[in-house]
Amino acid sequence: MPAFAYDYLAAGCFSEVNLARNNSDIRQIQLKPWYLRDFAGADQTTELFGETYDAPFGVAPVGLQGLMWPKACEYLAQAAVDHNLPFTLSTVSTASIETIAKITDGRFWFQLYHPAEEELRDKLLERAWDAGCRTLVILADTPTFAYRPKEIRNGLSIPPRMTPRNILQMFLSPTWAWGQLMAGKPEFQTMKPYIPKGLNMKHLGLFMNKTFSGRLTESKIVPIREKWKGNLVVKGIVNPEDAEIAVKHGLDGMIVSNHGGRQLDRGQSTVVPMHRLVPEFGDKLKVMIDGGMYSGADIAACLACGADFAFMGRTPMLGVCALGKHGGHHTFEMLKKQLQQVMEQVGCEKASGLRAHLIPESVPA
């Protein structure tokens, strides 16, 4: 893939301190094995919001997937269905709500970037519900546009800006370039009906900035809770004050996340605040995690720290960028095999039982 596309996927904000902290904190987690107890075997199946999935992890929402690899969103949605894992579609993805609904037979999650206008919010909610989506994720951790030096250097846009540097990168990535030619230029397909026609890249950027400006506040959560009759999850919670608001308004779950280290370079990692929130809020709503996991061992560490479920964005995308339409299947098989090995090694029969194997003092302070 071209370097500008890889940088968009893999990079963080500012000096990427929080990006590195996400994974380094997870890798400090230690598990204790039980070797001399009876063990009936490891079973990864996990129930979440009334659905039983084949493993305790799913696909996190990622924007601009089609820029990183042609039809990446569709490939991952199909792989998630085939492996019976939840797939989350972003508002700013390059596949539409209706396309993903058809691939998944309506068994998908939708992440809402809260629009500035209530009318647009309601239209997106109605489309998601009519398409079969029953779990809505509202995003809290992007109240402002991030400062990402690599994206600025690359002049990132959709479609990619035709600078000599970017053209050279495309020329050196012929499989990617041919795939883009066959798939057509990537666009914000869910938002396409609301974008004025004929905008150049500068004005498209201004339109998107205006459309999704502002933070998710308590006053914005209230009408969404009233309108959305399915499961409502807030993503980006890292402190008890925000978690209290989620509980107060009857949300069904929260995803502890820092947007993959792409928003606040001096913020906490994901696993540390999640581990602290579980004792206080774990009996009130589902506590999930997103960020910093690249292997089945990483997933096991987060489940041991109390997560009910784990979501991964970069890892499945990297699989698709390496192996195209086969990448999602390869990645999910790999992650399940890795997690299975950890569970069998420590003697854990159910994924939720990993909590009993945590060595508490190994969790970073």
Side-chain angles (χ1 to χ4, degrees):
M1 59 193 300
F4 63 78
Y6 178 81
D7 284 344
Y8 178 78
L9 173 61
C13 63
F14 285 88
S15 303
E16 301 186 342
V17 173
N18 207 17
L19 175 67
R21 184 180 294 124
N22 269 353
N23 190 244
S24 63
D25 279 0
I26 287 173
R27 292 189 173 185
Q28 291 187 52
I29 305 302
Q30 300 171 33
L31 305 180
K32 57 185 176 184
W34 296 333
Y35 291 138
L36 302 182
R37 298 187 181 187
D38 291 336
F39 178 60
D43 178 10
Q44 295 184 37
T45 57
T46 302
E47 187 274 333
L48 182 65
F49 299 138
E51 294 278 350
T52 299
Y53 296 105
D54 285 1
F57 62 86
V59 182
V62 177
L64 302 183
Q65 289 130 312
L67 172 69
M68 290 171 269
W69 197 263
K71 291 192 174 295
C73 189
E74 292 91 332
Y75 292 157
L76 282 177
Q78 185 62 63
V81 170
D82 294 343
H83 287 264
N84 189 27
L85 303 173
F87 175 85
T88 312
L89 177 69
S90 170
T91 303
V92 292
S93 177
T94 50
S96 70
I97 290 173
E98 291 74 19
T99 296
I100 298 304
K102 185 176 181 180
I103 292 172
T104 63
D105 196 25
R107 297 180 65 236
F108 71 103
W109 296 20
F110 180 62
Q111 177 190 267
L112 176 72
Y113 272 80
H114 197 284
E117 296 182 3
E118 295 180 2
E119 182 180 1
L120 178 56
R121 175 201 67 196
D122 293 346
K123 287 180 179 178
L124 290 171
L125 294 183
E126 182 178 352
R127 284 175 63 190
W129 184 266
D130 289 347
C133 174
R134 293 299 179 264
T135 300
L136 177 70
V137 181
I138 49 178
L139 193 62
D141 58 10
T142 56
T144 184
F145 288 93
Y147 180 82
R148 301 175 192 146
K150 290 181 179 178
E151 292 181 22
I152 296 172
R153 180 193 66 196
N154 292 329
L156 182 75
S157 62
I158 180 169
R161 189 177 299 172
M162 293 293 117
T163 65
R165 184 170 180 270
N166 288 352
I167 291 173
L168 176 61
Q169 291 175 14
M170 295 181 205
F171 181 76
L172 295 174
S173 306
T175 305
W176 176 92
W178 178 253
Q180 293 289 10
L181 184 63
M182 293 295 98
K185 69 176 182 179
E187 297 180 299
F188 299 111
Q189 291 294 343
T190 289
M191 289 298 300
K192 192 174 181 178
Y194 318 114
I195 298 175
K197 298 187 185 322
L199 296 183
N200 60 29
M201 290 311 305
K202 177 181 178 181
H203 290 100
L204 174 60
L206 292 173
F207 171 82
M208 296 298 285
N209 289 353
K210 180 180 178 181
T211 300
F212 295 109
S213 62
R215 64 180 62 231
L216 179 72
T217 61
E218 189 170 359
S219 63
K220 292 178 180 178
I221 293 174
V222 172
I224 295 177
R225 177 70 284 182
E226 291 175 350
K227 294 174 181 294
W228 187 259
K229 303 308 178 185
N231 308 305
L232 185 58
V233 175
V234 61
K235 179 173 177 282
I237 301 300
V238 292
N239 62 68
E241 292 83 1
D242 287 338
E244 287 283 3
I245 292 175
V247 172
K248 172 184 174 183
H249 292 289
L251 271 64
D252 303 285
M254 62 180 179
I255 300 175
V256 179
S257 170
N258 55 28
H259 216 74
R262 293 166 61 81
Q263 291 292 122
L264 180 62
D265 207 28
R266 292 301 184 269
Q268 300 178 79
S269 67
T270 51
V271 73
V272 171
M274 191 274 299
H275 178 62
R276 295 171 180 167
L277 290 170
V278 167
E280 185 175 355
F281 299 98
D283 61 342
K284 300 173 184 175
L285 74 178
K286 294 290 185 181
V287 180
M288 297 160 279
I289 189 170
D290 170 22
M293 291 164 286
Y294 294 91
S295 70
D298 293 340
I299 296 171
C302 291
L303 297 176
C305 286
D308 290 307
F309 215 82
F311 284 91
M312 310 173 81
R314 288 187 176 97
T315 301
M317 274 301 308
L318 288 169
V320 170
C321 294
L323 297 173
K325 65 181 180 180
H326 305 292
H329 294 281
H330 174 81
T331 302
F332 299 148
E333 283 290 348
M334 179 180 65
L335 292 171
K336 287 192 287 187
K337 287 180 180 179
Q338 292 172 349
L339 178 58
Q340 187 77 9
Q341 191 277 333
V342 174
M343 292 176 64
E344 291 177 354
Q345 181 69 27
V346 301
C348 177
E349 296 181 359
K350 295 289 291 183
S352 58
L354 282 164
R355 301 183 188 195
H357 294 269
L358 176 68
I359 299 177
E361 56 268 27
S362 70
V363 182

